[in-house]
Amino acid sequence: MLEFFSTFIAQNTPSLDSQEVFSRLIGRERLGSTGIGNGVAIPHARDPHCKAPIAGFLKLQEPIDFDAVDGEPVDLVFVLLVPEAADETHLALLAQVASVMNDTETRARLRRSESQRQLYDVLIQAIQRLGSGNQDG
């Protein structure tokens, strides 16, 4: 799954190398799983060739073992790649993504989504709710 994301990102971002992206994401996982519980993982890494934050979201048909904190398999994966020097930005983005993905209703809506467009709309709405301070939970 991380290999798929790495290849996809590199194909769409010429400055990135898929093997390097994959290596950085795996390197981060070795420090400790980014599986935050409730079937969610937020793999993330810094990359010196990344010019601006890049995010991707995958809803897996079959949950996979991700060594998550609660031991549950993961089916919702939000991958984040940031520039090497983006320390504060990196942390702020991670906090935002975690807030969105920790929302029970957002997770349920993502799991019910049947198209890429629905997934995108659910995520955008959840991010907007977070930004306006109207988030439940």
Side-chain angles (χ1 to χ4, degrees), residues 125-135:
Q125 289 165 11
I127 291 165
Q128 289 171 340
R129 272 198 319 275
L130 177 67
S132 66
N134 294 336
Q135 184 182 8

Side-chain angles (χ1 to χ4, degrees), residues 29 32-41 64-74:
E29 288 303 317
S33 174
T34 57
I36 64 169
N38 297 305
V40 175
I64 59 171
D65 180 26
F66 215 83
D67 198 22
V69 293
D70 61 0
E72 294 297 314
V74 163

